[in-house]
Amino acid sequence: AKAGDEEIQPNFSYSLMDYFLKYFMFLCNLLFTVLGLIVLTLGVWGLNTKESFAQENIGTIGTDPMLILFSLGFLLTLLCLTGCVGALREYCCLLKVFSATVLVLITAQVLLAIVVYSVRDQIAGYLRSGMLAAMANYQDDPDVRFITDEIQFSLQCCGADNYRDWGVNIYYNCSAPGVLACGVPATCCINPLENGTVWNSQCGVGAQLLDEFTAQSVIFLGGCLGGITHWINQHEGLIGTVGTIVVGVEILAVFITTRLLESIHWHKTHQLHRVINTAV
C-alpha cells in the first residue's frame, strides 16, 4: 500500500517561474550589495582621509557629509544582503524582514514626496537659508566649500541671489582685514584660469565693490538659487521618472518576495504532508 501511495503521490517541486524569481531576486540583491559595499568603502575612506574620528574632530562628525555616505552604504549593504541570503537559502524570516523594510522605505518616500509637494512654495526660502549658511561656513568646512564651489562652477552663478551675498562670510565681508575682503571665491569668476592653465584663486578679489556693469566681465552676476530652480524645472521630468522607477523597483521587490514566500510555504507544507502520508 505504501508503494502504491508513493506512486500516485505527486512531486511537489518548484515551477520554473519560482526558480526564476528566486535567482532573479538573489542576483539583483547581490548586485546592490556590491553597490552598497562600494558606497560604504567610499564613506569609510572619506572619514578616514579627513581624520573625522580624531579626538579633535569627533564632535563635528554628526554633520560630516561622509557620514551620510557611510550610513547609506551600510544600510543598503545590510538590506540587500538580507534579501540575498533570504532568497538563496529560503529563510522566510530574512525575506519577511527584507519585505517589511522595503515597505517602510516606500511609505517614507511617498510621505516625503507629499511633504515636499505641500511645502513647494517654501522650498526657495529653505534653499536660500541653506545656501547663505553654507557661504558663511565656506572657509571653515572643506565639504561645504567643495559643494558650494561645484554648484557655482557648474551652474555659472555666484552667491544665493547675487554676488554681493558673499558679504555674509567673515572673510569676504568688506569689514574683514584680509586680502579676501569684498571679494568672492574663484568659482564665481568667468575665467578663473590665468593664461588658460593656472588656477587664479585671486580673480574675485574686490568683486563686491564693482557695479554690475563692470562686474559682468569678471564674475557671474546671477545667483545660484535661480540656477538651481532653472535646473530643477529643466529636469523635473527626469527627476519624476527616476523617482517612479525607484518606487516601482521597490514595489516589484516586495511582490517577488511575497510570491517567493508563498512558494516556499506551499512547497514546505506539501512536502510535510508527503512525509506524513508516506509514514502512515
Side-chain angles (χ1 to χ4, degrees):
K2 291 181 180 179
D5 289 340
E6 290 179 2
E7 289 176 1
I8 63 174
Q9 182 67 38
N11 181 22
F12 295 104
S13 60
Y14 289 116
S15 66
L16 289 176
M17 178 58 71
D18 292 332
Y19 276 116
F20 171 77
L21 292 177
K22 173 181 176 178
Y23 289 104
F24 177 75
M25 182 174 176
F26 165 73
L27 291 174
C28 287
N29 277 284
L30 181 62
L31 176 65
F32 280 100
T33 299
V34 173
L35 178 63
L37 286 172
I38 293 174
V39 175
L40 178 62
T41 303
L42 288 174
V44 172
W45 173 81
L47 290 171
N48 185 61
T49 301
K50 296 167 57 182
E51 299 182 348
S52 298
F53 295 110
Q55 187 173 359
E56 61 271 17
N57 298 326
I58 199 69
T60 59
I61 194 173
T63 58
D64 195 323
M66 285 298 172
L67 184 63
I68 298 177
L69 205 63
F70 172 84
S71 302
L72 286 176
F74 177 77
L75 293 175
L76 181 62
T77 301
L78 186 62
L79 175 62
C80 294
L81 193 60
T82 299
C84 188
V85 175
L88 183 64
R89 303 298 298 171
E90 298 181 3
Y91 290 150
C92 291
C93 58
L94 290 182
L95 290 174
K96 288 177 181 178
V97 169
F98 174 80
S99 180
T101 305
V102 175
L103 278 174
V104 170
L105 287 175
I106 294 173
T107 304
Q109 289 165 355
V110 171
L111 289 176
L112 178 62
I114 294 173
V115 170
V116 170
Y117 182 79
S118 62
V119 299
R120 61 190 183 281
D121 295 332
Q122 304 171 37
I123 290 178
Y126 296 142
L127 285 175
R128 178 178 287 102
S129 300
M131 188 83 187
L132 291 174
M135 292 164 61
N137 294 298
Y138 179 81
Q139 297 288 354
D140 304 319
D141 191 322
D143 292 314
V144 169
R145 182 166 62 248
F146 173 79
I147 294 171
T148 305
D149 283 341
E150 284 297 308
I151 292 174
Q152 292 193 145
F153 188 78
S154 302
L155 298 180
Q156 297 185 345
C157 56
C158 187
D161 295 306
N162 58 63
Y163 61 99
R164 290 196 173 94
D165 289 335
W166 277 102
V168 301
N169 185 282
I170 59 173
Y171 300 98
Y172 290 110
N173 190 282
C174 290
S175 62
V179 68
L180 298 178
C182 278
V184 295
T187 47
C188 282
C189 297
I190 295 175
N191 184 21
L193 298 177
E194 188 175 351
N195 298 324
T197 54
V198 182
W199 185 265
N200 181 13
S201 60
Q202 303 296 318
C203 63
V205 171
Q208 292 184 53
L209 296 174
L210 303 176
D211 58 75
E212 293 188 0
F213 181 79
T214 307
Q216 67 180 348
S217 62
V218 181
I219 61 173
F220 300 113
L221 297 183
C224 294
L225 287 178
I228 293 173
T229 303
H230 177 72
W231 187 90
I232 292 175
N233 292 335
Q234 193 175 23
H235 297 86
E236 60 182 358
L238 178 62
I239 295 172
T241 301
V242 170
T244 303
I245 290 175
V246 169
V247 174
V249 169
E250 291 171 343
I251 293 174
L252 180 63
V254 173
F255 171 78
I256 293 176
T257 306
T258 303
R259 173 63 189 269
L260 194 56
L261 281 168
E262 291 175 350
S263 298
I264 293 171
H265 178 73
W266 182 87
H267 181 265
K268 288 184 176 180
T269 300
H270 285 79
Q271 194 174 44
L272 179 61
H273 288 166
R274 185 181 182 186
V275 172
I276 294 173
N277 291 335
T278 302
V280 174

